Each structure stands twice: as C-alpha cells, then as structure tokens.
Amino acid sequence: MRLVIALGGNALLRRGEAMTAENQRENVRIACEQIAKVAPGNELVIAHGNGPQVGLLALQGNAYDPSNPYPLDVLGAETEGMIGYMIEQELGNLLPFEVPFATILTQVEVDCGDPAFKKPTKPIGPVYSKEDAERLAAEKGWSIAPDGDKFRRVVASPRPQRIFEIRPVKWLLEKGSVVICAGGGGIPTMYENGKLRGVEAVIDKDLCSALLAEQLNSDLLVIATDVDAAYIDWGKPTQKAIAQAHPDELERLGFAAGSMGPKVQAACEFARNTGNVAVIGSLANIEAIVQGKSGTRISTAEPGLSYR
C-alpha cells in the first residue's frame, strides 16, 4: 500500500511535557518504532504537526528581539528541517541501510481571501494558565483560545490549495524513498503581484495531509495523535471511542475546532474524495491502525457508525 502517516505535533511533544530536544526525540523514536513495523512492502510518506515546535521557536526569537519576530512561514520551514532530521535518523536506525530517505521543504499555496485570516483558530506553542495567556495576549498582541482546561496562542489557519513540491515527492516515491514532507501543514505561501511570498499563518497539518494523500493516490491516510480514537462525550463519564464511521455520520457529531475537529474534517474529506480509508488513532498504535485493529476508521464503504 501507499501510506500517508500524519504525526501530530502534540504527539511529538506531549501536552504538559517539557519542550526539550530529548523529549521530542524520544517521542519521535516511539513513532518510528511503529512506522518501521509497517514499512516492509509499503510506500511511506510521513507528514507531521509542528504547533508546539513553532511556538517554542517563536518564544526563542522573541527573547532575542521582541520588536522584530521571525515570521511564521520561516519558523515553519525551520521545524520541517528539525523534525524531518529526527525522523530520518530514528527511522533510518530501524530500517535496512539501503532504504533512502528525503525530507522535502514543502511550500503550500493559500488564498489571500481565505476567511481564516479574519478569525485565528490554529493553536501553536505551549499551553498556559488563563492568567498567563491573557497577560501574554496583552503584551504581544496575540489571539488566545481555550485548549482543554488551559489556553494557547491561536493564529490564522487558511485552507491548503496547492502543494508545490508534489512532483518531486512522487518522483522520490517511485525510486523507493521514504519521504517526509508537508511538515506542519507545509510552509504557507501566496502569490502577490506575480511573486510567491510567505504568509503569517499556519496551515492545518491534517487538512494538508489529506490533500497530500489524495494527490498521491494514497491507499490509506493515518492521522496519528495522542489519543487512541475519536470519542463522543470526550472527558465525560459517558465517553465512547468510535470504531467505524461514514463521513456523513461522523460530521454530524461535532468536534472541537482546536483539537479533534480538523482531524475529523480531514479524514472525511479524504474518504469522500478518494473512496479510500482514513484512520484517526494513537501514534503508539500505528501498526495496529494499518492492520485495521485500532483507531477510528472513516470510509464511505459502510453506512452508519459503530463504537468500540
């Protein structure tokens, strides 16, 4: 099969975990141990989130010069290289030496008229208490929003329109390479007066991964996060894990825009547009997800919805 595996940024740096290189590498190692099990006989494309990582780089840049922050497209490019390097190294230590790897800096076009620019929703960076978040918002001009019982900075998240590097990704796959691309949803860019430029935004990783998987004719899209499935009544005594769902049924349930919502939207769009299967599940269960034994499977092949 041709697999697109999208690793969540919050799975690579877990909620409340110190944002150190050591912690991130350990989480990458956990993911790669799973990915290595499904690599034999399959073509692999790995995408990843970068919300915590971009937020950390933004804070580091702010410590250097608060009046002249690095733009988010540049920080996105930096995280693509950093995370891609870790994935290449950790997965390369597990797969046969002859397996080639390539990390592709991926520019993704967005629409300058996208309504997302007027309503920031995409969380980046660490979580804060309400008091700290409000103070930082006042000091730095940030938009903030609740994230569970904490708060995070939110930025514009326009829809991905076009992946500029899709052709070299295909060429590399045809040569047997494992490709790491579209990190953090890709580097947001748009045309202005005929010239391509970066945009102060963060593209949703899951929507970009769905577009990537569709354009690559992927057999399976795996959206790996820090929970083992999509749930109804999350965090309540009545919570239940969804095992299988038709896109129409899943979308009717409603999911939080800042967490599971984009994952469900991306999975549903991929399933509808391709007729293939998307799965939402735990980063630590990737092998079982590919085997059809774990996660929430979204497909147009079966009606209705069932629970685990």
Side-chain angles (χ1 to χ4, degrees):
M1 293 192 295
R2 177 170 286 184
L3 309 177
V4 171
I5 300 176
L7 306 175
N10 289 327
L12 297 177
L13 277 174
R14 300 179 188 278
R15 178 182 295 272
E17 189 175 53
M19 294 195 295
T20 64
E22 291 78 11
N23 284 339
Q24 179 162 291
R25 184 174 286 277
E26 178 58 30
N27 291 328
V28 168
R29 186 176 296 118
I30 292 170
C32 289
E33 287 172 352
Q34 287 289 307
I35 294 171
K37 295 176 182 178
V38 302
N42 294 317
E43 294 181 333
L44 287 180
V45 180
I46 302 170
H48 58 81
N50 70 346
Q53 294 83 357
V54 163
L56 177 60
L57 288 179
L59 290 172
Q60 291 172 344
N62 183 75
Y64 172 68
D65 185 357
S67 64
N68 189 27
Y70 270 80
L72 286 174
D73 60 301
V74 173
L75 298 182
E78 290 184 27
T79 61
E80 283 194 340
M82 174 180 69
I83 298 171
Y85 158 68
M86 289 187 176
I87 293 172
E88 281 196 30
Q89 197 170 77
E90 294 301 328
L91 191 54
N93 285 333
L94 297 169
L95 296 182
F97 179 76
E98 62 270 16
V99 175
F101 291 84
T103 296
I104 302 293
L105 289 178
T106 315
Q107 298 182 91
V108 177
E109 185 176 14
V110 300
D111 184 351
C112 63
D114 193 304
F117 288 108
K118 296 181 180 178
K119 187 178 180 181
T121 59
K122 181 65 177 175
I124 65 169
V127 294
Y128 300 99
S129 67
K130 185 173 186 293
E131 294 74 18
D132 287 342
E134 289 177 345
R135 174 180 56 80
L136 289 166
E139 290 177 0
K140 303 179 184 297
W142 289 357
S143 296
I144 59 171
D147 188 345
D149 60 349
K150 301 291 185 178
F151 283 76
R152 291 175 78 183
R153 180 189 177 190
V154 290
V155 298
S157 183
R159 283 189 63 89
Q161 303 291 321
R162 175 166 49 157
I163 298 171
F164 286 106
E165 286 78 16
I166 195 70
R167 287 181 298 167
V169 171
K170 290 179 178 179
W171 298 336
L172 287 161
L173 280 176
E174 290 167 2
K175 293 297 183 180
S177 180
V178 175
V179 182
I180 301 139
C181 64
I187 304 163
T189 57
M190 67 172 61
Y191 280 103
E192 186 175 71
N193 300 321
K195 301 290 186 181
L196 194 64
R197 67 170 182 85
V199 181
E200 188 75 354
V202 172
I203 301 169
D204 183 79
K205 171 267 302 179
D206 298 305
L207 292 179
C208 189
S209 296
L211 178 62
L212 174 71
E214 180 180 344
Q215 293 187 348
L216 291 176
N217 299 313
S218 175
D219 298 293
L220 180 68
L221 169 63
V222 177
I223 298 177
T225 183
D226 52 357
V227 293
D228 62 355
Y231 282 75
I232 62 165
D233 297 338
W234 174 251
K236 300 178 181 178
T238 53
Q239 75 175 30
K240 289 193 294 183
I242 301 166
Q244 173 276 327
H246 188 281
D248 295 346
E249 294 296 327
L250 194 61
E251 287 180 333
R252 289 192 185 104
L253 296 177
F255 293 89
S259 55
M260 189 58 70
K263 295 173 176 54
V264 167
Q265 181 185 356
C268 290
E269 288 185 6
F270 174 77
R272 281 199 189 97
N273 293 343
T274 66
N276 294 331
V277 176
V279 187
I280 300 171
S282 171
L283 179 150
N285 296 339
I286 289 173
E287 182 183 24
I289 288 171
V290 173
Q291 294 172 345
K293 300 177 181 178
S294 183
T296 298
R297 298 178 68 82
I298 300 97
S299 170
T300 57
E302 298 182 43
L305 184 149
S306 62
Y307 298 95
R308 292 197 184 279

